[in-house]
Amino acid sequence: MKPILEVKDLNVSFEVYGGEVQAVRGVNFSVGEGEAVAIVGESGSGKSVTAQTIMRLIPTPPGNIKSGSVLFDGQDLLSLSEREMQKVRGNKIGMIFQDPMTSLNPTMTVGAQIIEGLMKHEKLSRSAARTRAIELLSMVGIPNPESRIKQYPHHFSGGMRQRVMIAIALACNPSLLIADEPTTALDVTIQAQILRLMKDLQQKTKTSIILITHDLGIVADVCDRVIVMYAGQIVETGTKWEIFRNPQHPYTKGLLRSLPRLDQRKGEPLVPIFGTPPDLIQPPKGCGFCSRCDEAMRICETDVPAPTSLSDTQTVRCWLQHPLAKSPNMAEGKGASV
């Protein structure tokens, strides 16, 4: 599958009063044409910062893209000027933000906000843009789009506002859609509707999707591949079947154990991941998950594990995949060394 997006050795930091927060540390991944990829991980793992860096929405200062490249259709987005990026945002790459109420302009009707992008990027007349806006609202499941196009964001429910955000993001038929936790503020019924809508639209338009979430449970029916992030790094990647059926990183296993399952026995408790993420002002020398891992070894504290390919599609960054870690004298768990 030909990649439409390639992120290579991305490092992003923020200057704060206490020092430099290393929010994204050496991230590498790609997204193929028509592929849906999920980036999962708990709050503070670097998911949203990665997405905002792709869109060049990191405020500078305090943000600083220290190194790396973001190749979109072979063009490095990090080398473009702000004027050039304005031609990419909303036109070639669309984005759905976490909170639609703060993302939509409360002083403009929803129709005006859709029409604005169509007139700017698609060079449509106002009447043609209005007709297209009505079609988009209908496509995302908003009833009576002819009348609702004249209403303001506060006239819509949370789920309907999120549908408007999806309509705005898809208005110019982007090649890539980035959805940054699009269902966080919605109840589970509306969550399912929004995710189903995104999947249906992706199949119809063949748009590539990056779905950012902290919940592994919502990606199973939408995405083809999963990227697991922790402490600013990618710790495991694989198809959704590999991640759900054969997780290899202790953090991925912990995420899955903390979710309710249909095959879970009655009364069986969920297992939380104890501890807290590391301080990224002073990130650990070794594996970022070491202090919370029951299987950590001494080398985990001092050396960062290199990515290990388990198959053509699954890669994990963990010392447990080292050949010596599988020998009998390595079965001691915490405190062992290679």
Side-chain angles (χ1 to χ4, degrees):
M1 183 182 298
K2 180 182 177 181
I4 191 173
L5 178 76
E6 294 180 275
V7 177
K8 298 181 179 180
D9 194 30
L10 186 63
N11 290 272
V12 183
S13 63
F14 292 87
E15 292 290 340
V16 297
Y17 181 77
E20 182 185 33
V21 178
Q22 300 178 38
V24 175
R25 305 185 291 152
V27 164
N28 293 273
F29 70 92
S30 64
V31 180
E33 291 182 348
E35 185 182 28
V37 177
I39 303 180
V40 303
E42 61 193 80
S43 298
S45 60
K47 311 181 301 298
S48 294
V49 173
T50 300
Q52 291 169 12
T53 303
I54 293 172
M55 294 291 283
R56 291 278 301 279
L57 295 175
I58 296 294
T60 305
N64 180 23
I65 303 173
K66 302 190 71 174
S67 64
S69 61
V70 177
L71 300 178
F72 177 73
D73 275 343
Q75 185 178 40
D76 188 2
L77 299 182
L78 302 186
S79 66
L80 300 183
S81 66
E82 177 58 26
R83 181 181 292 272
E84 291 171 324
M85 272 304 301
Q86 289 177 5
K87 298 177 182 179
V88 175
R89 297 191 198 106
N91 186 20
K92 298 179 180 180
I93 305 178
M95 187 164 185
I96 305 170
F97 296 92
Q98 292 187 32
D99 186 359
M101 194 59 198
T102 58
S103 301
L104 293 170
N105 189 332
T107 67
M108 296 173 63
T109 64
V110 297
Q113 296 182 61
I114 301 174
I115 290 169
E116 182 181 44
L118 289 168
M119 293 179 65
K120 178 179 180 180
H121 295 299
E122 298 294 297
K123 308 302 180 184
L124 298 180
S125 65
R126 181 168 294 277
S127 60
R130 187 180 186 279
T131 300
R132 174 60 177 159
I134 292 173
E135 292 174 356
L136 287 164
L137 290 178
S138 177
M139 184 176 68
V140 297
I142 292 181
N144 303 317
E146 294 85 357
S147 60
R148 304 218 70 178
I149 196 174
K150 305 172 186 177
Q151 295 180 326
Y152 292 85
H154 66 269
H155 292 134
F156 291 74
S157 66
M160 287 297 182
R161 284 194 294 265
Q162 197 61 283
R163 289 170 187 264
V164 171
M165 286 295 300
I166 294 174
I168 293 173
L170 294 174
C172 298
N173 299 311
S175 303
L176 175 65
L177 177 64
I178 301 175
D180 187 0
E181 304 205 32
T183 61
T184 298
L186 307 177
D187 61 65
V188 291
T189 304
I190 304 301
Q191 277 188 20
Q193 293 176 3
I194 295 297
L195 292 172
R196 174 57 59 183
L197 172 64
M198 289 179 58
K199 183 178 180 181
D200 291 344
L201 292 175
Q202 190 249 352
Q203 292 175 346
K204 291 177 182 177
T205 62
K206 304 300 181 184
T207 301
S208 301
I209 292 179
I210 297 177
L211 174 63
I212 297 172
T213 180
H214 62 273
D215 186 353
L216 267 172
I218 70 172
V219 306
D221 191 42
V222 178
C223 297
D224 307 305
R225 194 155 50 89
V226 181
I227 297 171
V228 183
M229 288 191 70
Y230 183 80
Q233 296 178 319
I234 292 176
V235 296
E236 187 167 4
T237 65
T239 66
K240 62 182 178 182
W241 303 116
E242 290 170 330
I243 296 298
F244 279 91
R245 296 179 179 178
N246 187 36
Q248 292 299 306
H249 197 280
Y251 178 62
T252 310
K253 294 176 183 178
L255 285 178
L256 291 170
R257 284 196 300 265
S258 65
L259 294 174
R261 303 173 63 97
L262 291 176
D263 58 355
Q264 191 172 359
R265 292 192 299 271
K266 184 178 180 179
E268 184 179 355
L270 299 177
V271 181
I273 302 176
F274 294 101
T276 57
D279 181 3
L280 293 184
I281 292 180
Q282 293 181 319
K285 295 180 180 179
C287 174
F289 191 62
C290 176
S291 63
R292 305 173 73 182
C293 181
D294 294 332
E295 302 176 86
M297 302 173 286
R298 281 199 297 271
I299 194 171
C300 300
E301 301 176 359
T302 58
D303 295 82
V304 177
T308 300
S309 295
L310 306 178
S311 69
D312 292 340
T313 52
Q314 187 173 16
T315 303
V316 63
R317 186 187 287 265
C318 181
W319 281 113
L320 292 172
Q321 303 304 321
H322 192 285
L324 292 178
K326 304 181 187 301
S327 62
N329 64 336
M330 294 303 300
E332 301 174 24
K334 193 100 174 172
S337 62
V338 293

